[in-house]
Amino acid sequence: MKKRLVVAAIVLVGAGVVAGLALHKPHSPLSGEVTNDPALVQRGEYLAIAGDCIACHTAPGGKPYAGGLAMLVPMVGTIHTPNITPDMSTGIGTWSLADFDRAVRYGVDKDGQNMYPAMPYVSYAKVSDEDIKALYAYFKYGVPGINQTEQPDTGSWPMTMRWPIQLWNVAFFDGTRYQGKSGHDAAWNRGAYLAQGLAHCGTCHTPRGVGFDEVALDETKAGYLGGSLLGGWQAYNITSDANAGIGAWSGDKLGQYLATGDLPGVAQAAGPMGEAVEHSFSGLTKADVAAIATYIKTVPPVTDGNAHPRQDQGAPSNVVADLRGVGFNNETEEPARIFLGACASCHHWTGSGTPGAHDGYYPSLFHNSTVGSANPNNLAQVIIHGVHRKTANQDISMPAFGSTLSDKEVAVLVNFLTKQFGTDAVPMTEQEVRKLR
């Protein structure tokens, strides 16, 4: 009874706050019809690639844009992404341009229900009216309609109520369009527009505040692109800090990484970043990729104490001795056995990497941003889930060992790799691996 009274009080107080703030559903400034203009549809398709819409609105093995991808929202539970194909009954076939705009740039669906900020409308708010019209044209005329009913969300009431999101929006949602800056050239402004808006780089790479809000939405506020832990993956600091960020990368190297996911001897994209490379960045023009790189390279540095991967040339002598079976002891025998069984056939027993059948090589474990990170999460995730990334010129595949290695073995392997080939990362425990799974 006491619990019910507390919940009722919360609801009443919340309703009073909403009424007191005179909150209302936003209205789209767009109206009218959008015609089936092939050029507009084609432009919208390109913008959908820039926004990586397919990544969230396509379930594994499902039809493109038909929704159904399960996403875990903190404190809420699991939600499922909606069908955004033009199907008339289960998709957005009946949505007007204004309905579409209100969802994309304001986070409110046609029925007036607030969307969780898992939909990056905070970033998409920066998108221009013209680009919203092109996106609408693509999803209305260029995408096949798929009849697929949205799956119900899971979670416990009252955390599943949507009206508190209005309060969140008042506190954290800016909602302004991107405004070009006169002190920078066209390429920089194009890169800023894409990085802040459709590419929504800050959604993953910017730290979160007390309300799970991005602490900054552009380069003018401290912390922007300074790195964040999201969904069990570490989105790295991509500011110009030479130690904690990517200040040592040239603009060309950053562009190469975005377009291919591969910077030999330095970094290889996996997990959410691998998906972004495969479905989004690799499909952009060279000019747009270069523009994004130009902008990101100017973002003020954020220093967090993280170190670069160890810069040794070749394997240390103690690793060579251990992996040849000389001098094994209780501390090194089990990790080395797992390494030899799971990693050495591709990455070589010295960790130096070897030629591969698909991409020309298997990367070295030295000079490797994942192995050398101060946070071992991504390394564990890669071991558990593998790497699968396909672009026009590369088909990258590393097998997943989640079904063959126990939580304890994954932890042992992670700690061995970071110690021998990377940095002195915080040791990973069996319990932490279990949580990541």
Side-chain angles (χ1 to χ4, degrees):
M1 176 65 72
K2 185 179 293 186
K3 181 179 179 181
R4 291 180 180 177
L5 290 174
V6 170
V7 170
I10 292 173
V11 172
L12 289 173
V13 171
V17 171
V18 171
L21 290 173
L23 294 176
H24 61 277
K25 301 298 183 182
H27 296 284
S28 166
L30 303 182
S31 61
E33 293 297 320
V34 173
T35 62
N36 187 4
D37 175 11
L40 191 63
V41 172
Q42 184 177 24
R43 179 182 168 201
E45 180 179 16
Y46 180 80
L47 295 170
I49 292 172
D52 201 9
C53 304
I54 199 169
C56 289
H57 290 279
T58 306
K63 298 290 185 180
Y65 302 117
L69 179 70
M71 302 181 72
L72 183 63
V73 176
M75 298 185 296
V76 174
T78 299
I79 65 173
H80 295 87
T81 56
N83 182 343
I84 58 172
T85 74
D87 182 72
M88 299 298 287
S89 59
T90 63
I92 61 172
T94 63
W95 288 29
S96 67
L97 172 61
D99 294 332
F100 181 83
D101 178 36
R102 194 165 65 147
V104 174
R105 295 197 293 189
Y106 299 92
V108 179
D109 67 17
K110 183 180 180 180
D111 297 328
Q113 180 171 250
N114 285 93
M115 299 177 179
Y116 293 110
M119 163 66 175
Y121 61 86
V122 173
S123 297
Y124 291 164
K126 295 189 181 274
V127 178
S128 68
D129 291 354
E130 293 73 20
D131 282 352
I132 288 293
K133 291 177 182 178
L135 281 166
Y136 177 70
Y138 171 62
F139 283 107
K140 184 170 185 177
Y141 303 114
V143 173
I146 304 295
N147 187 279
Q148 180 170 297
T149 304
E150 186 174 343
Q151 298 183 50
D153 298 336
T154 63
S156 300
W157 188 86
M159 301 309 296
T160 53
M161 293 189 298
R162 297 295 183 101
W163 64 258
I165 300 175
Q166 296 182 62
L167 303 177
W168 189 94
N169 287 340
V170 169
F172 305 119
F173 179 46
D174 181 89
T176 58
R177 308 290 168 262
Y178 178 79
Q179 299 294 324
K181 296 188 176 180
S182 58
H184 296 279
D185 62 18
W188 187 95
N189 274 291
R190 175 65 174 172
Y193 172 71
L194 289 171
Q196 295 174 24
L198 284 171
H200 57 285
C201 301
T203 300
C204 293
H205 289 279
T206 296
R208 298 283 171 155
V210 293
F212 204 65
D213 57 299
E214 297 165 44
V215 299
L217 298 177
D218 60 35
E219 77 288 347
T220 65
K221 300 291 179 62
Y224 183 60
L225 302 185
S228 180
L229 185 64
L230 201 63
W233 288 85
Q234 178 70 42
Y236 295 126
N237 181 338
I238 56 172
T239 70
S240 55
D241 184 83
N243 183 53
I246 56 172
W249 297 17
S250 67
D252 288 343
K253 285 186 176 181
L254 177 55
Q256 177 183 339
Y257 178 76
L258 292 174
T260 67
D262 183 29
L263 199 55
V266 179
Q268 294 79 36
M273 188 62 202
E275 292 177 356
V277 168
E278 179 174 353
H279 299 300
S280 182
F281 292 116
S282 66
L284 300 184
T285 64
K286 290 183 179 179
D288 275 349
V289 171
I292 293 171
T294 294
Y295 168 69
I296 290 178
K297 288 292 294 179
T298 67
V299 173
V302 174
T303 300
D304 57 12
N306 285 350
H308 274 314
R310 192 164 57 192
Q311 299 298 306
D312 303 65
Q313 299 296 323
S317 59
N318 67 301
V319 177
V320 174
D322 283 350
L323 299 186
R324 284 177 173 174
V326 178
F328 273 173
N329 54 49
N330 291 334
E331 182 180 346
T332 59
E333 184 169 1
E334 179 67 4
R337 179 190 64 79
I338 300 172
F339 172 82
L340 289 171
C343 312
S345 60
C346 292
H347 297 284
H348 202 262
W349 58 268
T350 64
S352 59
T354 60
H358 298 293
D359 59 341
Y361 76 104
Y362 291 107
S364 169
L365 300 178
F366 293 100
H367 312 275
N368 189 299
S369 60
T370 300
V371 181
S373 173
N375 185 321
N377 275 30
N378 287 12
L379 180 56
Q381 293 274 35
V382 165
I383 292 170
I384 294 169
H385 300 292
V387 178
H388 310 283
R389 186 180 74 247
K390 187 174 184 179
T391 63
N393 300 316
Q394 290 183 320
D395 187 354
I396 309 298
S397 182
M398 169 184 154
F401 292 96
S403 61
T404 57
L405 295 179
S406 68
D407 295 336
K408 180 180 180 181
E409 288 174 323
V410 170
V412 166
L413 180 57
V414 166
N415 294 332
F416 175 78
L417 292 173
T418 55
K419 180 179 179 181
Q420 300 292 0
F421 304 113
T423 61
D424 293 326
V426 176
M428 174 158 277
T429 66
E430 179 181 353
Q431 291 72 27
E432 288 170 331
V433 174
R434 185 174 301 114
K435 184 178 180 180
L436 285 179
R437 286 186 192 267

